[in-house]
Structure formats: structure tokens, C-alpha cells
Amino acid sequence: MSRKTGFRKGAGFFTLMTTLLIFLLPIQPVQAAERLQDVGDKVVIVIDPGHGGENLGTTENGHEEKLMTMTTALAMYEELLLYDDVEVYLTRTEDVEKDIKLEDRAAFAASVEADFLFSIHYNASENHDFFGSEVWVSAFAPFNGYGYQFGNELLSDMRNIGLFIRGVKTRLGNSGNNYYGIIRYSEAVGVPAVIIEHCHVDESRDEGYCDNDEKLKEFGRMDATAVARYFGLKSSVLGVDYSNYSLAESNDTMPVSFTVRDSTAPEVCQIEFVETDYDTGLLSLKVTAADYDTPLLYYTYSLDGGQTFLPREPWPGSDALTGRYSDTFTLNLTIPTDTTPNVILRAYNMYDMYTESNTYISPQVYHYPDSEEIVEVLAPVQDTEDSENAPDSDIDTIPIENNDVSENNVSDNQEEREVSFLSFLVICLVVVFVFFIILLISQAIAGLNRRRYKR
């Protein structure tokens, strides 16, 4: 089951559950719409490679964001130059001695009469547990609508290459204005601006998308294509024409509801027992959760009552571009053997606020042969002396090339069987020979006795 955000908060748990079960709104597809932003015959674009100089940006996992953004921005610049009737500028074309102030970047965009400023960035999180792509936009109309239409285009492409989508988002500072300076200063001079956070360099599910220059350049080309679709550009060089391209439905008089920052955690998060198998470790739980302002993005769970949590996972059915998500799903867990799990689940919304569920406490311990026990049972038993003198080894890592060892073993076994059979024949012949000699001796003695008796 899916739901769309935007409901009012209920007064209590039963009200919330009733709303969940009865008053679900039907899902509506994203509507195609005309471009909100009106531009002239020639489009002017400013690309802002984030950071620079002494401002390195994130340096997690050996990356240096200021260099990454430069690589991506240059590729975006070169790609956009292939389109007709477009002027493209960069706020910097190489690393600079000192970081350029944000207000100076915005002032430069205004000086060239830019239609849009795109600020290029890469992401990291404090606990290294976030993953995915996001676009930050103005919280105020009409700039919010412009940013959402562009962000929807770019993030749709990000999703197509396998990245998780964290959404088109806004953030306000304590003064009630846009929190991010490049957006705030650009808007002050009448230039729409967005921040593109391509992916998280410190999370394993994202790092593979940005671990070399070619991948960074590909991000730049993707950015350029999204810009071309947003502005309806065409290119005689590339043979494309986006003149009649329709964008996601948006609004130039009020912000898109689920781009507005949610300051509250999800209202509902519950788990309940479905079934289990103590002999295999399978435990199935039903998860029910809801946030009435923004979609749910992630979940994580703990097996030890909340002391430790596993890495985050995407929330089933989550679509940060439309505000939809599944409000119920079945969580299938494999419980480690000799464990009595106390399960707690956390549901995270689009702004990384979470609510913890109730605790499911297993009534008994799970015990079943795990992989280590199986290996121990199958491993050959060695004498103590042999074990002490033998080199350390793992029977699973002994290389067998071209089945030579197996063939030699078969040959040795065959030879042993042949030797054993020959030995058996020799023994039989010796026994027969001895028996024959004894028989002859017996007959000879009997003959002598008969002759003596006749005399």
C-alpha cells in the first residue's frame, strides 16, 4: 500500500492508525507541465564548482571535493557548449589560491545576466550512514518551483543509473531565509540557484559512482542533459531537440509541499510479529509507519534492543520526487544462532528525522547449525601431534588446479587396490602350495606304514 504526504497530524495513536487504514488518498501520477521559468531566445548558464583553495570540501575516503567538483563542472561546461543558443560560464576554471566568497559567485552570475546558477557538490555525512543524491533549492516561490522542475529532471536520471534519491529539498536558517549561502545570495540578485549533491563519497553504496575522473565527468554530462531538458534546448551537433519537452508539475506561487523542510519525526512506527522458524532463524515482522509531511526514506533495525543498529536500507516504495512511500511492508530477518532477539526499527523521513518502533522480544532462543558449525562437522579430525606440527591452513582455501590432486588421489587409490589384490593372490597360492606339500607328505607316510604292516 502506498500513501502520499500532506495530511494533518492526528491527536493520538488510534486517530493516526484510523487515518492510515481508512482515509488513504489514491496515488496520482506526476503530471507533465509547462516550464515555469520564462527565458529569452538565448539561455545564460553559470556553473559553480563548489569549494576551492583552502576550502577543500569533504575529504572522506581520500577524496578531495574541490577537485571532484572542478572535474564535473568542466565536463558539464563542455557538454552544454554543444547546444544551440546558450552561453555558459564557470565561477572558476581551476583551483584557486583562496576560496571564492559565495556572494561573489552570485554577483558574477548577476553580472552575466545568468538565467540559472548550478552549484556542483559531493556529499558526506557525520556518521557515514547516508547515501543517495539530492538537490537543494530555494524555499520561496517562484524559485522553489524552478528548482523543483530542474531537480526532478536530474534526480530521475540519477535514479536510472542506480543511485538512491533523497529528494528536492529546502532548508531555512535561523533568520527564516534560505540556509545555504549560494542559494540565498543568488536569489537576492534575482538568479535562481540550486545545489547538486551528486552522491556520498563516504558510503560504500555511493562511492563506486564517483571513484574516478571518468565517472565524475559522466555526472557533468548528466547535469548538462538535465539542464538542456529544463530549458528546452536543442543541439544540431548532438541531434536532439527538447523544445517541446514537458517538465514535472510545479507551482510559481507557493512551494511544492514535500520540498518544505519537515521539523517533526514520523508520526507512526510500529512492528508486529508475523511468523518465525526457530530451526532456520527466519523471523518475519510487519512494519507500519507514516509521516504526514514528507516521505519516509530509510529504515534500520536493531537486534539487541537498540544498543546497535544495522546500516540503513531504502524504505520500500519510497519516491522522494512525488512524496509517495509504502506505509506497510514485511521485514524478513535472519536471526543469528544462539540469539534471543529484541528487535527495534527506526523509520527516517526525508530530512533524516526518525521514530523508533515498539520492541519485539522473542519468547525463546534461536538455535540452528550455522555455517561455522557445518564446517566444523565436515572438517577431518587430526591427531594432536599432527595438528601441532602441521602449518596453519583453511581447508576451504586449498587451491585445486585442473583437478590434478583429485586425479592423483584416484590413481593412488587404484594402485593401492591393485597391490592389495596381488598380495591376496600370492598369499592364496602360498597356502595352496603348503597344503599340497602337507598332503604329499601325509600320503608318503601312509604308504610307508602300509608296507611295514604287510611285512
Side-chain angles (χ1 to χ4, degrees):
M1 185 180 294
S2 299
R3 68 174 303 114
K4 199 170 183 178
T5 57
F7 293 105
R8 290 184 173 274
K9 297 180 176 61
F13 174 77
F14 291 105
T15 302
L16 295 175
M17 293 305 295
T18 301
T19 304
L20 270 173
L21 298 174
I22 301 176
F23 298 103
L24 295 178
L25 293 179
I27 296 175
Q28 300 295 329
V30 177
Q31 299 295 319
E34 298 296 325
R35 187 174 303 101
L36 291 180
Q37 186 179 2
D38 186 18
V39 296
D41 294 333
K42 176 167 285 190
V43 175
V44 181
I45 297 165
V46 171
I47 304 170
D48 174 41
H51 308 289
E54 69 277 11
N55 185 351
L56 305 181
T58 183
T59 57
E60 297 290 345
N61 287 347
H63 297 287
E64 198 164 299
E65 187 182 0
K66 70 170 184 176
L67 302 180
M68 299 173 71
T69 61
M70 190 75 257
T71 301
T72 298
L74 286 172
M76 181 181 181
Y77 174 83
E78 292 171 359
E79 186 76 6
L80 281 171
L81 289 180
L82 301 177
Y83 287 86
D84 307 332
D85 300 319
V86 60
E87 290 182 6
V88 191
Y89 298 90
L90 289 155
T91 57
R92 63 182 178 96
T93 57
E94 58 185 4
D95 193 19
V96 291
E97 183 176 350
K98 291 186 177 181
D99 187 25
I100 304 172
K101 293 182 179 179
L102 297 178
E103 52 263 47
D104 292 338
R105 300 178 193 230
F108 171 74
S111 71
V112 297
E113 299 182 346
D115 293 300
F116 221 116
L117 182 147
F118 300 94
S119 192
I120 309 301
H121 288 264
Y122 288 87
N123 219 338
S125 61
E126 182 178 358
N127 296 320
H128 314 300
D129 56 350
F130 295 172
F131 56 91
S133 305
E134 61 193 4
V135 174
W136 292 92
V137 303
S138 171
F140 305 103
F143 300 101
N144 175 272
Y146 302 163
Y148 175 73
Q149 285 194 324
F150 166 76
N152 189 84
E153 287 303 311
L154 178 60
L155 294 181
S156 295
D157 291 344
M158 297 289 197
R159 174 183 289 155
N160 289 339
I161 67 170
L163 282 161
F164 181 68
I165 303 306
R166 287 172 50 83
V168 181
K169 309 161 83 167
T170 64
R171 182 178 178 183
L172 296 177
N174 294 331
S175 64
N177 207 336
N178 286 304
Y179 173 83
Y180 293 107
I182 192 64
I183 296 176
R184 185 172 66 252
Y185 290 124
S186 296
E187 187 173 310
V189 294
V191 178
V194 298
I195 296 173
I196 303 170
E197 295 282 5
H198 290 87
C199 62
H200 288 72
V201 304
D202 60 337
E203 213 279 346
S204 60
R205 281 167 284 195
D206 275 14
E207 190 184 11
Y209 289 92
C210 62
D211 56 2
N212 63 53
D213 280 356
E214 183 53 39
K215 294 177 182 178
L216 300 179
K217 291 176 183 178
E218 184 57 32
F219 273 130
R221 291 188 281 267
M222 288 176 61
D223 296 344
T225 302
V227 170
R229 295 202 303 265
Y230 172 79
F231 281 113
L233 302 178
K234 58 184 178 179
S235 170
S236 53
V237 175
L238 299 175
V240 296
D241 186 351
Y242 299 115
S243 301
N244 298 318
Y245 191 87
S246 296
L247 302 172
E249 186 176 14
S250 190
N251 198 307
D252 60 359
T253 60
M254 59 185 301
V256 177
S257 60
F258 45 85
T259 68
V260 178
R261 186 174 183 86
D262 184 3
S263 58
T264 59
E267 286 81 4
V268 177
C269 186
Q270 293 286 320
I271 57 176
E272 60 181 287
F273 174 79
V274 177
E275 63 178 345
T276 193
D277 187 337
Y278 294 102
D279 295 327
T280 63
L282 173 67
L283 171 62
S284 296
L285 301 172
K286 180 181 178 182
V287 179
T288 302
D291 189 301
Y292 300 131
D293 299 304
T294 55
L296 298 176
L297 284 195
Y298 307 106
Y299 73 89
T300 183
Y301 61 87
S302 169
L303 298 179
D304 55 15
Q307 297 181 50
T308 58
F309 282 85
L310 275 73
R312 297 187 189 194
E313 296 292 339
W315 190 274
S318 177
D319 187 344
L321 298 180
T322 62
R324 302 186 187 102
Y325 60 94
S326 298
D327 52 18
T328 61
F329 69 93
T330 300
L331 178 64
N332 294 314
L333 306 176
T334 300
I335 307 301
T337 189
D338 297 324
T339 300
T340 305
N342 294 346
V343 184
I344 296 176
L345 183 136
R346 286 177 176 174
Y348 292 81
N349 66 16
M350 187 168 159
Y351 290 91
D352 303 309
M353 304 184 72
Y354 68 86
T355 296
E356 285 190 358
S357 71
N358 55 303
T359 304
Y360 169 76
I361 303 176
S362 174
Q364 71 180 71
V365 66
Y366 286 77
H367 180 74
Y368 57 93
D370 61 11
S371 58
E372 293 181 359
E373 292 180 22
I374 294 172
V375 170
E376 183 177 351
V377 170
L378 296 179
V381 179
Q382 297 179 343
D383 294 337
T384 303
E385 292 182 1
D386 292 340
S387 299
E388 290 176 353
N389 296 328
D392 293 337
S393 66
D394 184 342
I395 62 172
D396 290 336
T397 61
I398 297 175
I400 299 178
E401 299 180 359
N402 300 324
N403 293 325
D404 290 343
V405 175
S406 299
E407 292 174 1
N408 290 338
N409 287 339
V410 171
S411 177
D412 292 343
N413 291 336
Q414 290 175 345
E415 291 177 3
E416 289 176 2
R417 287 196 295 270
E418 291 173 1
V419 170
S420 299
F421 182 70
L422 290 174
S423 300
F424 175 74
L425 288 177
V426 170
I427 292 171
C428 290
L429 290 173
V430 170
V431 170
V432 170
F433 179 76
V434 171
F435 179 78
F436 181 73
I437 296 299
I438 293 172
L439 181 62
L440 289 176
I441 293 172
S442 299
Q443 288 177 348
I445 294 171
L448 288 174
N449 290 334
R450 283 195 298 272
R451 284 196 292 271
R452 287 175 184 173
Y453 178 76
K454 290 179 179 180
R455 290 175 184 173

